Amino acid sequence: MENALQGKRILLGITGGIAAYKSILLLRLLVQAGADVKVVMTPAARQFVSPLVLATLSKQPVLVELAEGDTWANHVMLGRWAHLMLIAPATCNTMAKMAHGICDNLFMAVQLSATCPVMLAPAMDEDMWKHPATRRNIQTLAGYGYQVLPVATGALASGLHGEGRLLEPAAIFDAVQSFFSHSQRLKGKKAVVTAGPTYEPLDPVRFIGNHSTGLMGIEIANALAMAGADVTLVSGPTHLQALPAVKTIPVQTATQMLAAVQEVFAETDIAVMAAAVADYRPAVVADQKIKKANDELSITLVKNPDILAYCGAAKASHQLVVGFALETNNELLHAQEKLRRKNADLIVLNSPNKVGSGFGSATNEVTIITADSVTEWPMASKHEVACKLVNLVADKLERLQF
Ligand code: CTP
């Protein structure tokens, strides 16, 4: 197999935890595989691992302070230099700072200005790992498009036994290798992704919407970008953000979403319609706030344009169109019918009845439906589902074009 790490520029971020000793071995594995690695550490990490060892192994100066003597470390260019920022170990404290954008050292300045994808391997004690604050910070970091690796279970620095150990260097190395081996599969391809809800206004202050957070669509846009595609994300209202490499077009309504997709569709190779588009919108949008006058209020709704059906009808033979289906009964039959009716190449079927799936969940258990196959995928994080879907799309695209 071709070495996926040869010539890749990796910024290895080391934060202050006991597990930092493992980053020496990780650095060695990365360098041996041909990667060009620069190390940036937090001041606390210096207490756990010597910059001299890291500088010797990486053959590069190790960066800790924003300014040393009269030299200023250019944190912006470091983040732009790297193909990947890998943070291992990522402590509870640094993860919290990353989630909230607290910039109090060089490491954080580099992290916050990095435009490259970010992968982190957390390490902490089990109670800290399970604390709701840490859970929420991890959700936030995943929402930024960062790949958060799992932790291992075993002996912890506290003397306790449980979850929170840093993954072994070989396992982190494998994750980096798999990141790079898929990273250029879609180079030269263009993709459009829809995500999030649509808000259909009733009057200047009210709308009809739904609980979609946009996470699934944003993870797909990020995974496509990491696979080398040039991605446009047309996103309904969400507080989540895609990677800087993704061109995001924010919209509110289904009509605006269709217009934005129509603008780019002819140029794209891949269209993934993951938005939870409102099927109907109010026929009339009141100019002024609707006053409560009567005991009942009727609102006439009219059908919204179907964006997935538009892509299915307009697609040329080299284009691949992926839709989603959220069904509560006769799931498979309805999803297969949707595939045919909307002329999609692939439907990702979600079931809100499954625990850990659907709106607001960080995980998803989906079934992949094509004209001649039905494949159930096990429950996984939305990030993993997105990566797997992008690989499948890349396989299918290769078959379409050769
Ligand atoms: N979709 C779309 N535009 C719409 C409605 C849906 O692009 N106006 C897309 C969604 O992004 C998703 C797929 O169609 O990829 C499935 O949407 P869903 O609402 O489940 O299907 P509908 O066609 O609306 O059918 P029904 O409501 O009858 O289940």
Side-chain angles (χ1 to χ4, degrees):
M1 192 182 82
E2 198 196 329
N3 184 358
L5 263 67
Q6 188 65 46
K8 292 292 181 300
R9 298 192 294 266
I10 300 175
L11 200 51
L12 176 61
I14 304 177
T15 70
I18 296 288
Y21 75 91
K22 290 187 186 172
S23 46
I24 296 175
L25 218 57
L26 175 62
L27 171 60
R28 202 161 146 258
L29 289 171
L30 296 170
V31 170
Q32 276 174 345
D36 188 359
V37 187
K38 287 188 185 178
V39 176
V40 53
M41 324 167 69
T42 61
R46 258 191 312 213
Q47 294 184 303
F48 297 93
V49 57
S50 146
L52 181 64
V53 179
L54 299 164
T56 310
L57 288 175
S58 66
K59 301 187 182 76
Q60 306 257 16
V62 170
L63 300 143
V64 188
E65 305 290 351
L66 258 168
E68 305 226 15
D70 55 4
T71 313
W72 175 74
N74 190 333
H75 57 86
V76 175
M77 292 328 282
L78 271 169
R80 294 197 169 199
W81 166 84
H83 293 123
L84 174 72
M85 182 168 191
L86 169 67
I87 304 165
T91 58
C92 188
N93 184 42
T94 291
M95 279 170 40
K97 286 191 206 170
M98 287 167 64
H100 297 280
I102 296 169
C103 185
D104 64 350
N105 57 40
L106 171 67
F107 171 93
M108 282 308 306
V110 171
Q111 202 286 307
L112 290 168
S113 50
T115 50
C116 60
V118 175
M119 182 187 282
L120 57 146
M124 66 199 71
D125 229 64
E126 185 172 58
D127 296 333
M128 295 162 91
W129 174 246
K130 291 196 165 161
H131 193 282
T134 308
R135 304 283 91 221
R136 203 186 46 222
N137 289 337
I138 287 175
Q139 286 260 359
T140 305
L141 296 174
Y144 298 156
Y146 300 169
Q147 185 175 350
V148 184
L149 297 178
V151 289
T153 302
L156 299 165
S158 58
L160 299 172
H161 189 278
E163 284 178 49
R165 269 175 75 89
L166 181 69
L167 285 182
E168 289 308 313
I172 302 173
F173 177 76
D174 284 351
V176 173
Q177 234 184 353
S178 112
F179 167 80
F180 281 114
S181 50
H182 298 312
S183 74
Q184 294 308 305
R185 285 193 80 186
L186 292 174
K187 199 163 176 57
K189 302 285 180 229
K190 288 195 169 140
V192 61
V193 179
T194 64
T198 63
Y199 284 2
E200 309 296 336
L202 277 162
D203 69 16
V205 294
R206 302 185 180 95
F207 59 84
I208 296 175
N210 59 64
H211 291 298
S212 167
T213 60
L215 179 60
M216 191 67 245
I218 289 173
E219 287 287 7
I220 292 168
N222 288 346
L224 285 164
M226 285 194 197
D230 177 354
V231 187
T232 301
L233 171 70
V234 183
S235 173
T238 169
H239 66 281
L240 303 176
Q241 269 184 0
L243 287 175
V246 172
K247 181 184 173 208
T248 303
I249 301 177
V251 295
Q252 295 276 325
T253 67
T255 313
Q256 292 167 353
M257 191 173 268
L258 174 68
V261 170
Q262 280 174 326
E263 193 73 11
V264 294
F265 181 73
E267 301 284 300
T268 61
D269 304 277
I270 304 157
V272 183
M273 302 290 107
V277 184
D279 288 332
Y280 294 89
R281 67 177 184 277
V284 177
V285 181
D287 286 343
Q288 306 297 334
K289 188 174 165 228
I290 301 170
K291 300 297 281 179
K292 61 176 173 305
N294 304 319
D295 286 346
E296 289 184 3
L297 172 69
S298 297
I299 295 162
T300 304
L301 300 177
V302 291
K303 218 176 203 167
N304 262 333
D306 192 314
I307 305 158
L308 174 60
Y310 162 80
C311 295
K315 81 176 158 111
S317 59
H318 70 279
Q319 290 177 301
L320 198 96
V321 172
V322 179
F324 274 69
L326 186 72
E327 309 287 348
T328 51
N329 66 311
N330 283 336
E331 304 171 9
L332 196 54
L333 278 178
H334 280 142
Q336 285 170 324
E337 184 274 325
K338 209 162 275 177
L339 179 91
R340 283 189 293 274
R341 177 163 48 91
K342 302 196 187 192
N343 196 32
D345 297 285
L346 195 152
I347 289 278
V348 182
L349 167 64
N350 287 281
S351 166
N353 300 333
K354 286 186 179 153
V355 182
S357 290
F359 290 162
S361 169
T363 52
N364 219 355
E365 191 176 334
V366 301
T367 305
I368 303 295
I369 296 162
T370 66
D372 50 18
S373 69
V374 173
T375 317
E376 287 187 19
W377 284 359
M379 169 88 71
S381 70
K382 285 186 175 171
H383 175 79
E384 284 165 295
V385 172
C387 293
K388 216 166 148 179
L389 183 67
V390 167
N391 270 327
L392 183 66
V393 163
D395 288 346
K396 290 204 173 295
L397 209 63
E398 277 161 19
R399 262 177 261 144
L400 272 185
Q401 290 171 348
F402 296 104

